[in-house]
Amino acid sequence: MALLDGILRLVLLLATLWGALALGYRAALPPCGRWLVVGLWLLSGVAWLWLAWQGARLGPLAAMTMQMMALLGWWRSLRPAADLDWADDVAYLATGDVEGHRLTLHHVRHFDWHTPHEASGGWERRTYDLRRLQSVDLFVSNWGRPGIAHVLVSFGFSAGGAAEEDFVAFSVEVRRERHERFSEIGGFFKQYELAIIAADERDAVRLRSNVRGERVTLYHVTLAPEARRDLLLALVAAANDLACEPRFYHTITANCTTLMFAMMRRIVEGLPMDHRLLLSGLLPGYIHDHGGLVPGYSLHELRRRGDITQRAREAHDAYDFSRRIREGIPGWASPERRP
């Protein structure tokens, strides 16, 4: 009986805490009203816990069950939005069309960031020849939390002649409203919508390495030409779907790593689930173990040689920014490299 009492108290405690967080992050009320609702929820939860500690079982369990049924009914009614006052950097979602070998991306961001929250520049339509798709690279940006990072996937297109290769980076991000700031806890409680952003590398990479001061590591991904194309088109298809049907961001189940894994499984059969898919900073180790990075190097060596942070800062305004940050990267060591 002591075990059952312990389980009951734990269930009551978890339900109390979850409900308080859900109401605190998502109740559409003024701050004072929200705090009042959260306080009442906590007060009732404490009351049921106190009764459970006094030996009651059925009463506290029935009361919390009714509360949770009402709360979950409200929770299921929440729907992601498409037309809020979005922050400038997530004002547009990536969308694309494919006609033959030509891919047109309609909203490619090309911001010049001055501070982490201020930028000039805008959005433009860009066209790419899928026959010139030459590379896939993984950028992992870490801000000091073990196992936690942001992942970008960049596709490189040869330009021919003396022109520089053209790169477009895709990033799965939180779609914040203009007044919002990111909260990892809020990401568990439907606080944000999901965004897939297409951006110039000089925007997406420099924002993290040069402006926010994060450590950015580049890994060249060794996909076959057909798999590269399939991955790019899968990303575009996912972006188009998201633009038509908004989704909530979730810190674990719908973030930059989990969405990328879902697309990779459509291309490479048999990829197993792994805890490193939940800890985005460990994703390169997962890809390395499954033969997706340049062979002949340990993961430690790829990480050491792939640290582009200093090169990105030195190449800040260079027209050939993307080429400079790739100097010495395994898989990119030779400028004449063609996969």
Side-chain angles (χ1 to χ4, degrees):
M1 299 300 290
L3 177 60
L4 291 177
D5 288 340
I7 293 174
L8 173 61
R9 294 165 191 162
L10 179 61
V11 168
L12 292 174
L13 176 62
L14 293 177
T16 299
L17 294 176
W18 188 90
L21 288 169
L23 290 167
Y25 278 102
R26 286 298 287 147
L29 296 169
C32 57
R34 187 180 306 151
W35 283 113
L36 176 61
V37 169
V38 171
L40 291 173
W41 178 274
L42 288 172
L43 185 62
S44 64
V46 169
W48 311 142
L49 276 167
W50 181 81
L51 289 174
W53 277 105
Q54 300 305 306
R57 297 193 183 98
L58 185 58
L61 180 60
M64 181 57 79
T65 298
M66 288 189 290
Q67 280 190 201
M68 285 298 296
M69 289 177 63
L71 183 70
L72 291 175
W74 161 76
W75 185 254
R76 288 173 62 87
S77 73
L78 298 176
R79 294 290 181 267
D83 55 355
L84 300 177
D85 183 19
W86 305 115
D88 290 338
D89 58 318
V90 289
Y92 298 98
L93 301 181
T95 57
D97 299 319
V98 179
E99 295 182 8
H101 296 291
R102 186 176 68 177
L103 167 65
T104 301
L105 297 178
H106 297 290
H107 296 108
V108 178
R109 199 180 70 196
H110 57 98
F111 282 13
D112 185 10
W113 291 91
H114 310 301
T115 73
H117 306 296
E118 297 179 358
S120 55
W123 306 77
E124 65 184 15
R125 180 178 299 172
R126 295 187 180 181
T127 301
Y128 304 90
D129 187 341
L130 293 171
R131 293 169 297 186
R132 294 185 177 273
L133 178 58
Q134 294 288 312
S135 63
V136 178
D137 295 306
L138 188 75
F139 288 92
V140 178
S141 184
N142 187 285
W143 52 93
R145 298 187 183 183
I148 304 299
H150 186 73
V151 175
L152 302 95
V153 180
S154 182
F155 297 86
F157 297 82
S158 63
E164 288 292 316
E165 290 187 86
D166 194 8
F167 295 88
V168 59
F170 284 84
S171 177
V172 178
E173 301 187 5
V174 166
R175 197 176 196 191
R176 311 172 326 281
E177 293 180 66
R178 192 176 298 276
H179 66 276
E180 289 181 316
R181 292 290 179 265
F182 177 63
S183 163
E184 290 172 350
I185 297 177
F188 286 97
F189 293 97
K190 296 185 179 181
Q191 187 174 5
Y192 312 105
E193 278 73 16
L194 188 68
I196 297 179
I197 302 297
D200 190 289
E201 277 191 356
R202 297 178 75 251
D203 170 340
V205 176
R206 288 195 307 169
L207 168 62
R208 290 165 172 83
S209 60
N210 299 19
V211 179
R212 293 180 180 169
E214 299 174 7
R215 179 181 177 181
V216 181
T217 308
L218 188 156
Y219 301 89
H220 180 62
V221 181
T222 56
L223 284 176
E226 193 62 32
R228 286 197 295 262
R229 178 186 172 112
D230 288 346
L231 178 59
L232 173 56
L233 296 183
L235 261 170
V236 173
N240 288 341
D241 290 344
L242 187 62
C244 293
E245 186 174 347
R247 292 178 57 188
F248 283 118
Y249 174 90
H250 192 278
T251 302
I252 291 180
T253 62
N255 59 34
C256 57
T257 302
T258 54
L259 264 66
M260 191 58 57
F261 174 72
M263 284 178 277
M264 286 298 298
R265 290 190 80 177
R266 295 166 53 183
I267 300 166
V268 182
E269 294 183 2
L271 284 177
M273 289 296 296
D274 192 291
H275 72 281
R276 290 171 292 185
L277 299 171
L278 302 179
L279 297 172
S280 49
L282 304 181
L283 181 62
Y286 177 87
I287 298 174
H288 181 268
D289 289 351
H290 291 86
L293 300 182
V294 178
Y297 297 89
S298 67
L299 180 62
H300 174 77
E301 183 68 6
L302 289 173
R303 184 182 298 115
R304 184 186 69 82
R305 295 184 60 174
D307 187 344
I308 65 164
T309 310
Q310 187 58 36
R311 287 198 295 276
R313 292 169 183 169
E314 293 172 353
H316 183 74
D317 287 323
Y319 75 94
D320 57 347
F321 174 85
S322 292
R323 181 188 64 80
R324 293 193 183 194
I325 63 174
R326 285 171 169 79
E327 291 176 356
I329 301 294
W332 283 98
S334 171
E336 290 80 24
R337 180 199 63 84
R338 288 292 181 269

